[in-house]
Amino acid sequence: MFRAAIRLNLKARGPVSIASLHNASTTSKTLNQSQNWDVAQQLEKDASRILKVVQRRVEERERLLREDAEDQGSSAAHIQRAKTLKELEPLHQAWARWTEARSSFSETSALLEDPDPDLRALAAEERTSLTEVLSEHVKDIFPSLLVPPSATKHFSAIVELKSGVGGDEAALFVSDVLKMYTRLAAMRGFRVETVSISQLEGSKGSGGGIKEAIIEVQGEGSYDIFRWESGVHRVQRVPATESQGRVHTSTITVMVLPTSDAPEETDADFKIDEKDVKTEVMRARGAGGQHVNRTESAVRLTHIPTGISVSMQDSRSQHSNRAKAWQILRARLLDRKLQEEQAERRDNRRSIIKGADRSEKIRTYNFPQNRVTDHRIGLTITNLDAVLEGEELQYVIDELQKDHEESVMAELLNE
C-alpha cells in the first residue's frame, strides 16, 4: 500500500532522491509490522486472564510430572496425581497448539514485507488462518477445557416428584411432568424404571393425578442432565372443574438424586455403615388386597446419624421393598454429601449450581399464555407444548449447563 503510494508520488512529483525513497520504504515497513503485531497483541490483551489461568494449569501439570517421577509408588497421592495429569493432558495439548500458532504468526509478519508478491500473498493468507486459530483457542477451546469435568458424570438419577400447593390440580401436574421426564429420557436413550407411585385417591387411570412418584433414570450422564430439575415448579392454568374460567396456581416439588449400581463409580469416601441404619418391617397400608393387612411386606429404613428415613411398600415382597428402600437411602445420603460439599464452596464463592436450593421456585408453566419461564437464567419459551414433549426442555437444560460453565469460568478468572 505504502509502496503503491510512493510510485504515485514519483509520477506526480518527478525525480526524487534515493535517500527519500529509502526513508519512505522504511516507514512503510515499520507501520505494516506494527499493524501485524497489533492484531496478536490485542488478542493476547483481551484474553490475558484466560491465558494466565491456562499457563498456571500447564505449570501445575509440569510440577505434577516432576513429583510423579520422584514417587513411582501406588499410594493414594500417586493415583490422584495420575488422575489430574490425565485431566490436564487436553489442556496441555491445546496450549502447545496455541504457542506454535503464536510463533508462526510472528514469522508471517516478517514475510509480509518480502519483495516477492506471491510470497506476500501466501503470508497474508496464512496470517488470516493463524488469527482464526488463535481466536478459536481463547474464545472456545481454552474455556471449554478449563471448566473441570463433572464429578457426577457416571451417575444415574433418582427423580422424586411431589404435589404441593393446589390439591388435585397439583397432582395432575405431577402426572404431566412425569410424562415430560419420561419423554426426555427416551430422547436421550435412557431407561426409566418406576420405583414407586402414589395415585391421588379417586383418580385411578391414565388421566388421574399423582400425589408422589419416584423414578430411576438409568444411563451414564442422566444425573447431570436431570439435576437441573430440582426445585419448585409452578403451574398456572384453568382447571377442568373451574366454571368461571379463573386461572389457578399450583406447585410441585422435584428432587433429583444421584445413584449408581457400580461401587467404583461412587465416591470412595462415601460408605454407609449398616450398623447406622435401623430397619423396621410392618404391614403395608392403603388399598391393595389381603396382603396389605396380613403380610409384613412394608420396610422403613432410618439412618440414625442424619435422621433420614425411607419407607417402601410398593411390592408384595419384603425383599423387593427392602432393596428399593436401600437404593433411595443411598441416593439421599450421597446427595446430602454433595450438597454439603457445595455449601463449603459457597463459604468462599458463589454456588457453582444455580437453583440448587430445593425450596426455590425455578420454573413457571403458564398455560393461558403458552409460556414457560426458567427463573434461574431468565429464559422464556413461548411453546409450552414443545417443552412438555421434551424437545424444548432439552434446550432449557442446555442453556442452564452453558450458564453453569460460564459461572465456573468467571470464578476461575477471579482466582
Side-chain angles (χ1 to χ4, degrees):
M1 181 184 204
F2 281 91
R3 289 184 180 179
I6 291 170
R7 284 194 293 271
L8 289 174
N9 286 333
L10 285 172
K11 291 179 180 179
R13 293 192 225 170
V16 295
S17 66
I18 293 178
S20 64
L21 180 59
H22 173 74
N23 291 338
S25 178
T26 301
T27 302
S28 168
K29 183 175 181 179
T30 302
L31 288 174
N32 272 336
Q33 287 181 342
S34 175
Q35 291 172 347
N36 294 338
W37 277 104
D38 283 348
V39 175
Q41 288 176 338
Q42 186 62 46
L43 192 61
E44 288 182 334
K45 181 180 178 181
D46 294 341
S48 61
R49 296 168 71 192
I50 290 179
L51 293 175
K52 286 180 181 178
V53 175
V54 174
Q55 193 167 11
R56 191 163 65 239
R57 292 294 177 85
V58 171
E59 290 172 353
E60 178 188 355
R61 176 183 176 275
E62 293 173 353
R63 177 181 60 80
L64 291 174
L65 283 172
R66 291 193 298 269
E67 292 179 359
D68 199 54
E70 297 172 358
D71 178 17
Q72 291 291 335
S74 58
S75 63
H78 175 75
I79 295 173
Q80 182 59 44
R81 276 198 305 270
K83 180 181 178 182
T84 304
L85 285 169
K86 183 178 180 181
E87 292 174 354
L88 290 174
E89 183 61 25
L91 188 62
H92 165 70
Q93 294 175 357
W95 178 252
R97 292 193 299 268
W98 158 270
T99 53
E100 182 181 357
R102 185 65 181 85
S103 176
S104 298
F105 186 93
S106 301
E107 294 173 3
T108 58
S109 296
L111 293 175
L112 288 172
E113 301 302 328
D114 194 274
D116 186 343
D118 292 335
L119 189 57
R120 290 199 305 272
L122 288 173
E125 183 179 345
E126 179 67 12
R127 181 170 172 272
T128 300
S129 176
L130 289 169
T131 301
E132 293 176 355
V133 171
L134 294 173
S135 179
E136 180 187 15
H137 273 71
V138 298
K139 291 181 179 179
D140 299 318
I141 296 177
F142 285 151
S144 66
L145 292 175
L146 284 173
V147 176
S150 171
T152 55
K153 62 183 179 181
H154 298 298
F155 291 137
S156 294
I158 296 288
V159 183
E160 299 184 15
L161 304 93
K162 294 182 180 180
S163 61
V165 177
D168 291 359
E169 185 61 24
L172 289 170
F173 192 56
V174 169
S175 179
D176 292 338
V177 173
L178 182 60
K179 293 175 184 176
M180 177 177 72
Y181 290 159
T182 302
R183 294 183 184 115
L184 176 62
M187 286 172 51
R188 296 302 302 260
F190 300 136
R191 181 169 174 264
V192 176
E193 181 177 316
T194 300
V195 178
S196 70
I197 190 166
S198 176
Q199 295 276 355
L200 187 67
E201 292 183 9
S203 299
K204 297 293 183 182
S206 58
I210 299 174
K211 289 194 300 183
E212 181 178 345
I214 302 176
I215 60 172
E216 181 183 6
V217 184
Q218 301 172 349
E220 184 173 308
S222 59
Y223 172 72
D224 278 358
I225 293 174
F226 280 87
R227 65 174 176 162
W228 305 106
E229 294 302 295
S230 287
V232 176
H233 296 240
R234 182 175 69 173
V235 58
Q236 296 172 322
R237 63 182 173 186
V238 180
T241 57
E242 173 55 58
S243 60
Q244 302 297 321
R246 291 173 296 187
V247 176
H248 288 218
T249 298
S250 307
T251 63
I252 71 169
T253 301
V254 176
M255 182 181 292
V256 182
L257 310 171
T259 185
S260 175
D261 293 331
E264 64 274 11
E265 294 177 357
T266 307
D267 193 323
D269 295 332
F270 177 74
K271 295 180 181 179
I272 304 176
D273 191 338
E274 293 189 9
K275 296 179 181 178
D276 291 335
V277 179
K278 178 183 178 182
T279 303
E280 300 172 273
V281 294
M282 63 203 76
R283 294 179 181 179
R285 294 174 293 178
Q290 292 183 352
H291 80 282
V292 169
N293 300 318
R294 299 182 179 180
T295 306
E296 291 188 339
S297 58
V299 175
R300 179 166 62 222
L301 301 178
T302 304
H303 187 248
I304 299 172
T306 62
I308 294 177
S309 179
V310 176
S311 298
M312 192 64 58
Q313 64 173 33
D314 270 35
S315 172
R316 298 191 179 195
S317 164
Q318 183 187 117
H319 177 76
S320 176
N321 285 331
R322 187 189 299 270
K324 289 182 178 181
W326 267 104
Q327 181 186 31
I328 301 301
L329 181 63
R330 288 192 190 95
R332 289 184 179 176
L333 290 173
L334 178 57
D335 179 71
R336 179 188 176 95
K337 181 178 184 296
L338 294 175
Q339 294 295 325
E340 288 175 348
E341 290 174 352
Q342 290 174 17
E344 290 177 3
R345 288 192 290 268
R346 279 196 293 266
D347 290 339
N348 300 317
R349 63 176 104 168
R350 62 192 290 260
S351 172
I352 64 170
I353 301 179
K354 291 185 176 181
D357 183 358
R358 270 71 184 272
S359 64
E360 180 184 353
K361 179 186 68 179
I362 64 166
R363 194 176 299 148
T364 294
Y365 306 75
N366 189 304
F367 278 73
Q369 297 179 12
N370 189 33
R371 169 176 57 83
V372 176
T373 300
D374 195 288
H375 304 289
R376 293 165 290 184
I377 55 176
L379 176 65
T380 296
I381 295 177
T382 54
N383 190 345
L384 191 147
D385 288 341
V387 174
L388 294 178
E389 288 296 322
E391 183 176 349
E392 286 299 302
L393 176 61
Q394 180 61 61
Y395 171 73
V396 174
I397 291 173
D398 290 341
E399 290 300 303
L400 287 164
Q401 179 66 28
K402 186 186 301 182
D403 182 73
H404 159 65
E405 292 175 355
E406 290 174 355
S407 298
V408 174
M409 192 68 225
E411 291 170 1
L412 287 172
L413 295 179
N414 289 328
E415 287 182 351

